[in-house]
Amino acid sequence: PMGSERTEIRKRQMATTPETPGAAQAQLSTGNRGSNACCFCWCCCCSCSCLTVRNQEEERARRTSHELQAEGIPNCEESPAPTLEEVNAWAQSFDKLMLTPAGRNAFREFLRTEFSEENMLFWMACEELKQESNKSVIEEKARLIYEDYISILSPKEVSLDSRVREVINRNMLEPSQHTFDDAQLQIYTLMHRDSYPRFMNSAIYKDLLQSLSEKPTEA
C-alpha cells in the first residue's frame, strides 16, 4: 500500500511539473501586459508616465507660443543716444524720464532686470492704442492688450486692483482708445512710486551717467 501511494504521488508530481513553467510564463506575460497597458491609459494609475509626458508637451507648446509673441516686441524704441543733459533731467522727475524714447529704453532695461518689463510694455501699448482712429483696429488692439496684460491667464499680467478691472470689463463691451486709461494711470503710478527710485540708484543709470560725463574729457 505504501509503495502504491508513493507511485501515485510521483505520478501527480510528474503531471503537474510541466505545467508550472507555462503557468509562470503566462503569469509573467499577463503581468507585463498589465504594466504596458497602463502606459496607454490616461487614467489608470498615478505612476503612468504618459500624463507627465503629455503635460510637458503642452507646457512646452504654451511656452513656445509666448516666446513667439515676445519676438514681436522690439527690445527698444528707436531713438538717438541721450545727452548728458537729458540723463540728468531724468533724475528731476519720472515724467521727464518717460517723456523721451531714450529715457523709456533705459528704464525698460532696468525693469527687465526686475522681471517687471510688462508694466512698461502695457503702458506703451495703451499709448499706441490712443493714436488709433479706425474702429476695427481699436477693437483688435484692445483685445490683444486685454489678453496680454489684463487676463489672469497671461504670463505678462500687470497688477491691477479689482475696481480698475471692473472698469476695463465694462469698457471692453465697446472698446475705445480710452478703454485702459484707468489701468494705464495705475501702472504709471506704480512704476513711479516703486521702480523709479530704484532705477535712479541702479548701475544701469549710474553707468550711463558716468559714461556721458567722461566724454568731454576724453575728447
Side-chain angles (χ1 to χ4, degrees):
M2 292 295 294
S4 61
E5 288 180 4
R6 289 175 183 174
T7 302
E8 185 66 21
I9 292 173
R10 191 177 296 112
K11 287 181 180 180
R12 290 177 183 175
Q13 288 177 345
M14 291 177 65
T16 56
T17 300
E19 297 176 1
T20 304
Q25 186 175 7
Q27 196 171 19
L28 180 60
S29 176
T30 303
N32 289 337
R33 285 199 301 271
S35 61
N36 289 337
C38 176
C39 293
F40 296 98
C41 178
W42 61 272
C43 64
C44 55
C45 72
C46 60
S47 62
C48 181
S49 62
C50 292
L51 282 176
T52 303
V53 172
R54 183 181 304 172
N55 290 338
Q56 288 174 346
E57 290 175 349
E58 291 175 353
E59 178 61 28
R60 191 180 301 112
R62 285 194 295 268
R63 186 166 59 250
T64 302
S65 175
H66 294 318
E67 289 171 355
L68 289 174
Q69 291 177 6
E71 289 178 0
I73 302 172
N75 289 329
C76 62
E77 298 178 76
E78 292 185 6
S79 70
T83 64
L84 178 60
E85 182 181 1
E86 286 177 327
V87 175
N88 279 322
W90 298 349
Q92 296 174 14
S93 72
F94 183 60
D95 292 339
K96 290 184 177 180
L97 169 69
M98 294 288 284
L99 194 60
T100 63
R104 292 192 294 270
N105 284 337
F107 187 52
R108 181 177 166 185
E109 182 182 354
F110 169 74
L111 292 177
R112 194 177 295 125
T113 66
E114 292 199 334
F115 305 100
S116 58
E117 184 184 14
E118 65 275 2
N119 290 332
M120 176 64 80
L121 295 176
F122 171 68
W123 185 88
M124 292 169 60
C126 291
E127 287 296 294
E128 184 179 331
L129 178 64
K130 290 178 181 178
Q131 307 304 316
E132 295 293 343
S133 57
N134 184 287
K135 184 177 180 181
S136 61
V137 175
I138 289 172
E139 291 177 351
E140 176 64 15
K141 287 192 173 183
R143 182 185 64 81
L144 292 175
I145 291 174
Y146 189 94
E147 291 177 355
D148 284 345
Y149 305 107
I150 309 301
S151 171
I152 60 174
L153 301 177
S154 173
K156 296 183 292 183
E157 178 195 5
V158 295
S159 179
L160 299 170
D161 62 36
S162 58
R163 180 192 67 81
V164 172
R165 286 185 175 277
E166 289 176 3
V167 171
I168 292 174
N169 289 334
R170 287 197 301 269
N171 291 342
M172 285 299 292
L173 296 175
E174 192 172 347
S176 72
Q177 300 101 316
H178 305 288
T179 293
F180 304 100
D181 281 3
D182 286 353
Q184 186 186 21
L185 177 60
Q186 190 168 96
I187 294 302
Y188 188 91
T189 303
L190 176 65
M191 291 191 293
H192 183 190
R193 294 177 179 176
D194 186 56
S195 303
Y196 173 64
R198 291 197 298 275
F199 169 71
M200 298 311 303
N201 291 314
S202 69
I204 291 176
Y205 177 74
K206 290 180 178 179
D207 290 348
L208 178 59
L209 187 62
Q210 182 178 356
S211 65
L212 293 173
S213 300
E214 293 172 351
K215 275 187 177 180
T217 57
E218 292 176 355

